[in-house]
Amino acid sequence: MVVVMVPGVDESQIEEVSSRLRLMGLTVHRTDARGRVTLGAVGDLGSLDVEDVRHLPGVQDVVRISVPYKLVSRTFQPDSTVVTVGKAAIGGNQVAIMAGPCAVESEEQVDTVAAAVARAGASILRGGAYKPRTSPYTFQGLGEEGLKILRRCADRHGLAVISEVMDTQHVPILERWVDVLQVGARNMQNFVLLRELGRVRKPVLLKRGFSATIEEWLMSAEYVLAGGNREVMLCERGIRTFETALRNTLDLSCVPVIHQLSHLPVVVDPSHAVGVRDKVPPMACAAVAAGADGLLIEVHPHPETALSDGAQSLYVPQFEELVVRLRGVAKAVDRTL
Amino acid sequence: MVVVMVPGVDESQIEEVSSRLRLMGLTVHRTDARGRVTLGAVGDLGSLDVEDVRHLPGVQDVVRISVPYKLVSRTFQPDSTVVTVGKAAIGGNQVAIMAGPCAVESEEQVDTVAAAVARAGASILRGGAYKPRTSPYTFQGLGEEGLKILRRCADRHGLAVISEVMDTQHVPILERWVDVLQVGARNMQNFVLLRELGRVRKPVLLKRGFSATIEEWLMSAEYVLAGGNREVMLCERGIRTFETALRNTLDLSCVPVIHQLSHLPVVVDPSHAVGVRDKVPPMACAAVAAGADGLLIEVHPHPETALSDGAQSLYVPQFEELVVRLRGVAKAVDRTL
Amino acid sequence: MVVVMVPGVDESQIEEVSSRLRLMGLTVHRTDARGRVTLGAVGDLGSLDVEDVRHLPGVQDVVRISVPYKLVSRTFQPDSTVVTVGKAAIGGNQVAIMAGPCAVESEEQVDTVAAAVARAGASILRGGAYKPRTSPYTFQGLGEEGLKILRRCADRHGLAVISEVMDTQHVPILERWVDVLQVGARNMQNFVLLRELGRVRKPVLLKRGFSATIEEWLMSAEYVLAGGNREVMLCERGIRTFETALRNTLDLSCVPVIHQLSHLPVVVDPSHAVGVRDKVPPMACAAVAAGADGLLIEVHPHPETALSDGAQSLYVPQFEELVVRLRGVAKAVDRTL
Amino acid sequence: MVVVMVPGVDESQIEEVSSRLRLMGLTVHRTDARGRVTLGAVGDLGSLDVEDVRHLPGVQDVVRISVPYKLVSRTFQPDSTVVTVGKAAIGGNQVAIMAGPCAVESEEQVDTVAAAVARAGASILRGGAYKPRTSPYTFQGLGEEGLKILRRCADRHGLAVISEVMDTQHVPILERWVDVLQVGARNMQNFVLLRELGRVRKPVLLKRGFSATIEEWLMSAEYVLAGGNREVMLCERGIRTFETALRNTLDLSCVPVIHQLSHLPVVVDPSHAVGVRDKVPPMACAAVAAGADGLLIEVHPHPETALSDGAQSLYVPQFEELVVRLRGVAKAVDRTL
């Protein structure tokens, strides 16, 4: 860490900052140049909040030389993590497709979609049983009954299952029925939940918060890895910006950024980001072209009667057509699908 | 709800949208004018997600005539809610001051602050025992032990206690020791927690998420009220924008906006928004001038050694001086403090 | 336009709003349903600012049924505009490549790049002669001398020229030397300049402002078309969000959104959006996969010595390799390049 | 400037970065600690774009020790700039009020407002003659005729005049008729215009761009000062965020931030920020409480018939009442008004 002092600062303030840094167990090197003092602080910054230093009296700026995360960083683990889920190896050369309805509504609905997406090339079935809804008055999901439906339909068609966990108390139930536990955008910084998922022995898919920076997102993944669970996938699902033409702004440039900073695989969910059916295929193609390791796509047999997010779900034939197109894009960027 | 169809849309699509609206239990009125069809849908929209309608084929735009929240709206309850906590009546004419350290570190620390803020005019003692920290490696709080310290110090100096709850499992512990349960910005859309807080018989202070719209914030409050707990205070603590000069951007205009839309009191936390000590007093004054019903301010006996957020904590003499100034501002806008 | 009145509003306010709408030349239809009044206003809204109506006393919400732009909309012109520039037909099936250095520095520099990008498949040479720089103390461009260099080098290698115009007074100079006049992000709402470009008989490439909504961007294009110049290309170059990992957030979902709303071609500039060389190729591929009609890419013979934005310029061999990859992506989405 | 290299970077890259810094005329000091190299670069950074260094190969981060602006900084000039305009001394102890209609419509309209605001305590009359409008089809202002009306009405009531300049070609006209030339938010980075205003001998009020950081805003002011005009006032008018309840988000915390960084006065325009009449008074009070040196407020004799932004204009009696309240707030924070 490099601490830049305000020009002309009192010697006493420099002393105070230095001794504070030493109290934190750091070694401090002082440099004076052209009336400007900088302090280099070396040591284990793991438990240090750099913001606490930035605002000490007399400090102008602070550069953290080491990143705040460790286990998720590519410096710590140069080889990409490959998460194996059923037939899929996410983070390897093949792009994985996770598809299914937004919410589980009935066995018939899920089975129809499961059959169709399995046939088209998906390897993981998605579907919400516990639904985070903005309004307390809208459909909140079928709960454990929905998970059982997912499990049966997935097994019938040779698919794995991913579904969302919303609270620490539901973790054992999810662990029992699904193959991947999804953390939704609104819970990305639910640290008690993340800590609990560190103890789970199944992969976790961690969606990015609406307004989370990439660094905060990686820090949340660090919670899970620090708890002992190394199988984490990150999932971009759109960030909140001033633009309101679509539901959110899909930040595809996070894909190459994360691939540089971290060894964890990156999945993209174009359905929730755009929120409207006809924009899903171009953004799914763009995600694969940008280097995504997987896609999470909503498909519904009858989107117009869906209990949740029907407007963004693809019809089955649209999904089949999209997969063909995605194969071409994957090939153009030296991937398979 | 008014549904505006795309010009020149097929009659079959108009029919489909109309019948979908009727299925939702709404009465539909059709108007044709200059080649444009609009559908007025009247009825109980409580369980309807307007976005599901907006993206139906053939729909160009939708206006929700009624707001999605009910219990929190001023239409439902014209008189302002006044939440009584110890000696404070938040939402009444007097502006309430909640002050204390960011995190509880020791009984001595808390007692010193409690004595000082009580003397200066605060009525509620704040302090974190369960701390949401971005990094799994930084100080996470003293837990229940911290709550006991808060309780003892508050009682000794005639103050009430507010502290943060981070997970459904901690609710009974918080309920036992504190007077107000605070929901942090990162949990504003932790719907399972909100639902649980609806069952609690103590007031809740709900902080705004970093990127939550006012409408989403009110919907989260609606979860608590719908659960049976009417004593909710909203707390603005800065939103995330592109500006990085300070930690967040304090959105003071939300104060008059909420006072128009809702009967719930609005508290402002300038400390977390600005993140740096010397910007807290002007923004605290501005909050009262804008109409805030209360302030949440960090005070620490020795900010330079604080385990968390020391840079934004006021020294005790700064806090005392600020309270004097706040009294003048309150008086200028016909309030007391 | 549908105007929704507040429930229980005074009859006098309804009358005032109605008569105001009639004064604007609109026909007003009133509907009463369950205690709620809505006013449908039909007529030419061209000169109306809907915000002026939204905030009239007693008005709760307003839906503009027609979009505020006319000439740029796909409703007005269903067929896509194809802008012909030299050998390129932007907006047709072939994706056009515009490449070159950020700033014109010398004839040798530009000639080297021009030769290389022409060989690799670009059809238009880019280069800045008038540079908008945040600081008054940094290199501001060679001015007209730079334009002459661009012209000579482009002619030598069979390329067309695009360069930025920053002020109304420079329009005649640009018009003389270049084939496409570029409006930078910071001037997207320089309405006097846009009006002037409406009189020009050469194509205009209009970059999106850092924080411009798609609708504002289309309104700025409308200024140029309304002035008589129909040859406008839009160019996405990243928007400003809270994320700071890269310079800006490339909003690729604007590509399919604009293709639906407008007949104008959409070009993407990944270089300025990401600001760092190694992120340009994946985002260029993603742009083509999302449906972009053209790319604007910075290439420099020696990026490490560039006077401006060297960090984002591709080396010549990187550019050549990228073009090969882009051909594959274009083919996968049924385009050529 | 401190340049932090990636850990384990090649010696050749360190050499390349070092020699590049030396080419820029800087002296370079190298430090090696625990396998990490940092380069301290000392010298005149005036013409250097720090981003060009940040993205050099092998560089992990860069801290600019000195700020990029010079003339506008409080380090350069510790004493606050006081801009004298008619009877007002903006930046001194007294808070200045600039008030008037959004757009000049007629002599009668302006005269009524001028008489009223002068009586209530305003010292400067505002009014737009050249209007930046999103749509080419809405009212664009009366031009020079409007300026003459402003001049006559202001003179009649002992007021000074402020009005907006939109293009370099209009500068001489504005210079002739007004006392303060206003640069609108959309032109904050119109560098050719800013350069031109550096030559003008009248004060400039520079509005903040919708998405401009405080640093970019100060850099734009630097253009004017660098051109020789030291009389610049900054004006906050709301920034663009995700929140859509009001037109923009008024960033009042910029007031104390700028007062720390710069000696220039800060004016606040609550009218354009909130866009709706009843939110103007609380935000005007909050601005003064936060330390604003002046206010820019829209007042209209008949807001309901205004040709532009009527919804945000105060009625005359509202303005009179507001000024009384502002006096109390100013007094509470040791200012006059």
Side-chain angles (χ1 to χ4, degrees):
Chain A
M1 183 172 56
V2 177
V3 181
V4 181
M5 303 299 294
V6 167
V9 73
D10 278 2
E11 196 60 29
S12 67
Q13 289 194 315
I14 300 172
E15 258 323 290
E16 201 176 305
V17 172
S18 301
S19 70
R20 180 99 194 259
L21 293 170
R22 282 193 207 95
L23 272 175
M24 293 166 176
L26 304 173
T27 311
V28 179
H29 301 277
R30 173 174 169 163
T31 314
D32 292 60
R34 291 167 56 118
R36 172 79 71 164
V37 173
T38 57
L39 304 171
V42 184
D44 180 13
L45 303 175
S47 65
L48 180 76
D49 188 342
V50 77
E51 293 309 307
D52 290 345
V53 178
R54 189 187 305 279
H55 299 300
L56 289 178
V59 171
Q60 179 173 295
D61 203 354
V62 175
V63 201
R64 199 178 48 209
I65 293 177
S66 51
V67 290
Y69 42 84
K70 182 188 165 198
L71 304 176
V72 304
S73 89
R74 208 175 261 287
T75 310
F76 178 77
Q77 178 189 314
D79 292 339
S80 295
T81 287
V82 178
V83 177
T84 304
V85 182
K87 296 173 297 189
I90 300 137
N93 190 260
Q94 190 171 26
V95 179
I97 308 282
M98 315 179 187
C102 180
V104 174
E105 297 166 14
S106 71
E107 181 128 13
E108 192 198 338
Q109 167 228 25
V110 177
D111 195 71
T112 309
V113 174
V117 301
R119 201 171 50 233
S123 52
I124 303 178
L125 179 66
R126 62 145 290 148
Y130 297 92
K131 301 294 306 168
R133 301 301 300 262
T134 306
S135 164
Y137 307 123
T138 49
F139 177 59
Q140 310 269 323
L142 296 182
E144 188 168 9
E145 188 48 39
L147 297 178
K148 292 181 193 171
I149 292 174
L150 278 172
R151 184 76 271 162
R152 284 196 296 267
C153 296
D155 288 347
R156 219 172 280 142
H157 300 286
L159 298 167
V161 169
I162 179 171
S163 197
E164 179 164 349
V165 57
M166 282 177 68
D167 187 75
T168 50
Q169 299 177 24
H170 301 153
V171 172
I173 307 173
L174 268 289
E175 232 182 326
R176 176 165 179 202
W177 298 108
V178 311
D179 302 298
V180 182
L181 286 80
Q182 174 181 318
V183 178
R186 293 175 183 81
N187 275 316
M188 193 204 84
Q189 293 195 314
N190 182 334
F191 300 120
V192 184
L193 177 60
L194 295 175
R195 208 174 275 285
E196 190 66 27
L197 292 172
R199 298 196 195 101
V200 166
R201 288 295 148 266
K202 290 201 165 168
V204 168
L205 182 136
L206 179 63
K207 287 200 163 183
R208 181 183 189 178
F210 299 134
S211 66
T213 63
I214 289 172
E215 188 171 299
E216 290 169 337
W217 191 12
L218 290 174
M219 288 306 289
S220 286
E222 185 83 9
Y223 262 91
V224 182
L225 272 77
N229 186 350
R230 297 291 170 100
E231 299 204 288
V232 174
M233 297 173 267
L234 300 165
C235 178
E236 160 69 21
R237 45 78 67 229
I239 57 174
R240 180 159 281 182
T241 69
F242 61 84
E243 177 60 70
T244 55
L246 298 176
R247 186 191 287 155
N248 290 114
T249 298
L250 190 66
D251 176 16
L252 287 180
S253 52
C254 81
V255 177
V257 168
I258 290 173
H259 279 163
Q260 180 176 38
L261 299 175
S262 173
H263 52 82
L264 297 176
V266 187
V267 172
V268 172
D269 174 351
S271 303
H272 280 87
V274 302
V276 52
R277 189 175 300 127
D278 65 327
K279 305 299 182 298
V280 173
M283 298 319 287
C285 290
V288 171
D293 299 301
L295 291 173
L296 196 56
I297 294 178
E298 289 196 3
V299 182
H300 195 286
H302 307 292
E304 64 287 357
T305 63
L307 292 180
S308 164
D309 282 343
Q312 74 201 27
S313 297
L314 297 185
Y315 286 85
V316 169
Q318 287 179 311
F319 177 70
E320 291 168 340
E321 200 181 315
L322 171 59
V323 174
V324 173
R325 185 166 272 225
L326 289 171
R327 286 219 172 88
V329 177
K331 196 181 156 204
V333 296
D334 301 331
R335 300 286 287 260
T336 59
L337 182 144
Chain B
M1 184 172 54
V2 177
V3 180
V4 181
M5 304 299 294
V6 166
V9 73
D10 278 2
E11 196 59 30
S12 67
Q13 289 195 314
I14 300 172
E15 258 321 293
E16 203 176 304
V17 172
S18 301
S19 69
R20 180 99 194 258
L21 294 170
R22 282 193 207 97
L23 272 174
M24 293 165 175
L26 305 173
T27 312
V28 181
H29 300 278
R30 174 174 171 163
T31 315
D32 293 59
R34 290 167 57 119
R36 171 81 69 167
V37 172
T38 56
L39 304 171
V42 184
D44 180 13
L45 302 175
S47 66
L48 179 76
D49 187 341
V50 76
E51 292 310 306
D52 291 344
V53 178
R54 189 187 303 280
H55 297 300
L56 290 178
V59 171
Q60 180 172 294
D61 203 354
V62 175
V63 201
R64 199 179 45 211
I65 292 176
S66 50
V67 291
Y69 40 83
K70 182 187 165 197
L71 303 176
V72 304
S73 89
R74 208 174 263 285
T75 309
F76 179 77
Q77 178 188 315
D79 291 340
S80 295
T81 287
V82 178
V83 177
T84 304
V85 182
K87 296 174 296 190
I90 302 136
N93 190 261
Q94 189 171 26
V95 179
I97 307 282
M98 315 180 187
C102 180
V104 175
E105 298 166 14
S106 71
E107 181 129 13
E108 192 198 338
Q109 167 229 24
V110 177
D111 196 70
T112 310
V113 174
V117 302
R119 201 171 49 235
S123 52
I124 303 179
L125 178 66
R126 61 145 291 147
Y130 296 92
K131 301 294 305 168
R133 300 301 300 262
T134 307
S135 164
Y137 308 124
T138 48
F139 178 60
Q140 310 271 321
L142 296 182
E144 188 168 9
E145 188 48 39
L147 297 178
K148 293 180 192 170
I149 292 174
L150 279 172
R151 183 77 271 161
R152 285 194 297 266
C153 298
D155 288 348
R156 218 172 280 143
H157 301 285
L159 298 167
V161 170
I162 178 171
S163 197
E164 180 164 349
V165 58
M166 282 177 68
D167 188 74
T168 50
Q169 298 177 25
H170 301 154
V171 171
I173 308 173
L174 268 290
E175 233 182 324
R176 177 165 177 201
W177 298 108
V178 310
D179 302 299
V180 182
L181 286 80
Q182 173 180 319
V183 178
R186 293 174 184 82
N187 276 315
M188 192 203 85
Q189 293 195 314
N190 183 336
F191 300 119
V192 184
L193 178 59
L194 296 175
R195 208 174 275 285
E196 190 66 27
L197 293 171
R199 297 197 196 100
V200 167
R201 286 297 147 264
K202 289 199 164 169
V204 169
L205 181 135
L206 178 63
K207 286 200 164 184
R208 181 182 187 178
F210 299 135
S211 65
T213 61
I214 289 172
E215 186 172 300
E216 290 169 338
W217 191 11
L218 290 174
M219 287 306 289
S220 286
E222 184 83 11
Y223 262 91
V224 183
L225 272 76
N229 186 349
R230 296 291 171 101
E231 299 203 288
V232 174
M233 296 172 267
L234 301 166
C235 178
E236 160 68 22
R237 45 78 68 228
I239 58 173
R240 181 158 280 181
T241 69
F242 61 85
E243 177 59 69
T244 56
L246 298 175
R247 185 190 287 155
N248 288 114
T249 299
L250 190 65
D251 176 18
L252 287 180
S253 52
C254 81
V255 177
V257 169
I258 291 173
H259 279 163
Q260 180 176 37
L261 298 175
S262 174
H263 52 83
L264 298 175
V266 187
V267 172
V268 172
D269 174 352
S271 304
H272 279 87
V274 302
V276 52
R277 188 176 303 126
D278 65 326
K279 306 298 181 300
V280 173
M283 298 319 288
C285 291
V288 172
D293 299 300
L295 291 173
L296 196 55
I297 293 180
E298 290 197 3
V299 182
H300 196 284
H302 308 290
E304 64 287 356
T305 63
L307 293 180
S308 165
D309 283 343
Q312 74 201 28
S313 296
L314 296 185
Y315 286 86
V316 169
Q318 286 179 311
F319 177 70
E320 292 168 340
E321 199 181 315
L322 171 60
V323 174
V324 174
R325 185 166 275 225
L326 288 171
R327 284 218 174 89
V329 177
K331 194 181 157 206
V333 295
D334 301 329
R335 302 285 287 259
T336 60
L337 182 142
Chain C
M1 184 171 56
V2 177
V3 181
V4 180
M5 304 300 292
V6 166
V9 73
D10 278 2
E11 195 60 29
S12 66
Q13 288 194 315
I14 300 172
E15 257 323 290
E16 202 175 307
V17 173
S18 301
S19 71
R20 180 98 193 261
L21 294 170
R22 282 193 206 96
L23 272 175
M24 293 164 175
L26 304 174
T27 311
V28 180
H29 301 277
R30 171 174 173 164
T31 316
D32 292 59
R34 290 167 56 116
R36 172 81 71 166
V37 172
T38 57
L39 304 171
V42 185
D44 180 14
L45 304 175
S47 66
L48 178 76
D49 188 341
V50 77
E51 293 309 307
D52 291 345
V53 178
R54 189 186 305 281
H55 298 300
L56 290 178
V59 171
Q60 179 173 295
D61 204 354
V62 175
V63 202
R64 199 177 48 211
I65 292 177
S66 50
V67 291
Y69 41 84
K70 180 187 165 197
L71 303 176
V72 303
S73 88
R74 208 173 263 285
T75 309
F76 179 76
Q77 180 190 314
D79 292 339
S80 295
T81 286
V82 178
V83 177
T84 303
V85 182
K87 295 173 299 191
I90 301 133
N93 190 261
Q94 190 171 26
V95 178
I97 308 282
M98 317 181 184
C102 180
V104 174
E105 298 166 13
S106 72
E107 180 129 15
E108 193 198 338
Q109 167 229 25
V110 176
D111 195 70
T112 309
V113 174
V117 302
R119 202 171 49 234
S123 53
I124 303 178
L125 179 67
R126 61 145 292 149
Y130 297 92
K131 300 295 305 169
R133 300 303 299 263
T134 306
S135 164
Y137 307 123
T138 49
F139 178 60
Q140 310 269 323
L142 297 181
E144 187 167 10
E145 187 49 37
L147 296 178
K148 293 181 190 169
I149 291 174
L150 277 172
R151 185 76 270 162
R152 285 195 298 265
C153 297
D155 288 348
R156 221 173 279 141
H157 302 284
L159 297 167
V161 169
I162 178 171
S163 198
E164 180 163 347
V165 58
M166 282 177 66
D167 188 76
T168 50
Q169 299 176 25
H170 300 154
V171 171
I173 308 171
L174 268 289
E175 232 182 325
R176 177 164 177 203
W177 298 108
V178 310
D179 303 298
V180 182
L181 286 81
Q182 175 181 316
V183 178
R186 293 174 184 80
N187 276 315
M188 193 203 85
Q189 293 196 313
N190 182 334
F191 301 120
V192 184
L193 178 59
L194 295 175
R195 208 174 275 285
E196 189 67 27
L197 292 172
R199 299 196 194 100
V200 166
R201 287 296 147 266
K202 290 199 166 169
V204 170
L205 181 135
L206 178 63
K207 287 200 164 184
R208 181 182 187 178
F210 299 134
S211 65
T213 61
I214 290 173
E215 187 171 301
E216 289 168 340
W217 191 12
L218 290 174
M219 287 307 288
S220 285
E222 184 84 9
Y223 262 92
V224 183
L225 272 76
N229 187 350
R230 298 289 170 103
E231 298 203 290
V232 174
M233 295 172 269
L234 301 166
C235 179
E236 160 68 22
R237 46 77 66 228
I239 58 173
R240 179 157 282 181
T241 69
F242 62 83
E243 176 58 71
T244 56
L246 298 175
R247 186 189 288 156
N248 289 114
T249 299
L250 189 66
D251 176 16
L252 288 180
S253 52
C254 82
V255 177
V257 169
I258 291 173
H259 279 163
Q260 179 177 37
L261 298 174
S262 173
H263 52 83
L264 298 175
V266 187
V267 173
V268 172
D269 174 351
S271 303
H272 280 86
V274 302
V276 53
R277 189 177 301 126
D278 65 326
K279 305 299 181 297
V280 172
M283 298 318 288
C285 290
V288 171
D293 298 302
L295 291 172
L296 197 55
I297 293 178
E298 290 197 2
V299 182
H300 196 285
H302 308 290
E304 64 288 355
T305 64
L307 292 179
S308 163
D309 282 342
Q312 74 201 29
S313 297
L314 296 185
Y315 286 85
V316 168
Q318 287 179 310
F319 177 70
E320 292 168 341
E321 200 181 315
L322 171 59
V323 173
V324 173
R325 185 166 273 227
L326 288 171
R327 285 216 174 89
V329 177
K331 196 182 155 205
V333 295
D334 302 329
R335 302 284 288 260
T336 61
L337 182 144
Chain D
M1 184 172 53
V2 177
V3 181
V4 181
M5 303 299 294
V6 166
V9 73
D10 278 2
E11 196 58 31
S12 66
Q13 288 194 314
I14 301 172
E15 257 322 291
E16 203 176 306
V17 172
S18 301
S19 70
R20 179 98 193 260
L21 294 169
R22 283 193 207 96
L23 273 175
M24 293 166 174
L26 304 173
T27 311
V28 180
H29 302 280
R30 171 175 172 163
T31 316
D32 291 58
R34 291 168 55 118
R36 173 79 72 166
V37 173
T38 55
L39 304 171
V42 184
D44 180 13
L45 302 176
S47 67
L48 179 75
D49 187 342
V50 78
E51 293 308 307
D52 291 345
V53 179
R54 189 186 304 279
H55 298 299
L56 289 178
V59 171
Q60 179 173 296
D61 204 354
V62 175
V63 201
R64 200 178 47 209
I65 292 176
S66 50
V67 291
Y69 41 84
K70 183 187 165 197
L71 304 175
V72 303
S73 89
R74 207 174 264 285
T75 310
F76 179 78
Q77 179 190 314
D79 292 339
S80 295
T81 287
V82 177
V83 177
T84 304
V85 182
K87 297 174 294 191
I90 301 137
N93 190 262
Q94 189 171 27
V95 178
I97 308 281
M98 316 181 185
C102 179
V104 174
E105 297 166 15
S106 72
E107 181 129 13
E108 192 198 338
Q109 166 228 26
V110 176
D111 196 70
T112 309
V113 174
V117 300
R119 201 172 49 234
S123 53
I124 304 178
L125 178 66
R126 61 144 293 150
Y130 296 91
K131 300 294 306 168
R133 300 302 300 262
T134 307
S135 163
Y137 308 122
T138 48
F139 178 59
Q140 310 270 321
L142 295 181
E144 188 168 8
E145 188 49 38
L147 297 177
K148 293 181 191 169
I149 291 174
L150 278 172
R151 185 75 272 161
R152 284 194 298 266
C153 297
D155 289 348
R156 220 173 280 140
H157 302 285
L159 298 167
V161 169
I162 178 171
S163 198
E164 179 164 349
V165 58
M166 282 177 66
D167 187 76
T168 50
Q169 299 177 25
H170 302 153
V171 171
I173 307 172
L174 269 289
E175 232 182 325
R176 178 164 177 202
W177 298 108
V178 310
D179 302 299
V180 182
L181 285 80
Q182 173 180 319
V183 179
R186 294 174 183 80
N187 275 317
M188 192 204 85
Q189 293 196 312
N190 183 336
F191 301 120
V192 183
L193 177 60
L194 295 175
R195 208 175 276 286
E196 190 66 27
L197 293 172
R199 299 198 194 99
V200 166
R201 288 296 146 264
K202 290 201 166 167
V204 169
L205 181 135
L206 178 63
K207 287 201 164 182
R208 181 182 189 179
F210 300 133
S211 65
T213 61
I214 289 171
E215 187 172 301
E216 289 169 338
W217 191 12
L218 290 174
M219 287 306 290
S220 285
E222 184 83 12
Y223 262 92
V224 183
L225 271 76
N229 186 350
R230 298 290 171 102
E231 299 203 289
V232 174
M233 296 172 267
L234 300 166
C235 178
E236 159 69 20
R237 43 80 67 230
I239 58 174
R240 180 159 282 182
T241 69
F242 62 85
E243 177 59 71
T244 55
L246 298 175
R247 187 190 285 156
N248 288 114
T249 299
L250 190 66
D251 176 18
L252 288 180
S253 52
C254 81
V255 177
V257 169
I258 291 173
H259 280 163
Q260 179 176 39
L261 298 174
S262 174
H263 52 82
L264 298 176
V266 187
V267 173
V268 172
D269 174 351
S271 304
H272 280 86
V274 302
V276 52
R277 188 177 303 126
D278 65 327
K279 306 298 181 298
V280 172
M283 298 318 289
C285 290
V288 172
D293 299 301
L295 291 172
L296 197 55
I297 294 178
E298 290 196 2
V299 182
H300 196 285
H302 309 290
E304 65 287 355
T305 63
L307 292 180
S308 166
D309 283 341
Q312 73 201 29
S313 297
L314 296 184
Y315 285 85
V316 168
Q318 287 179 310
F319 176 71
E320 292 168 339
E321 199 182 316
L322 171 59
V323 173
V324 173
R325 183 165 274 225
L326 288 171
R327 285 216 173 91
V329 177
K331 195 181 159 207
V333 295
D334 301 329
R335 303 283 288 259
T336 59
L337 181 144

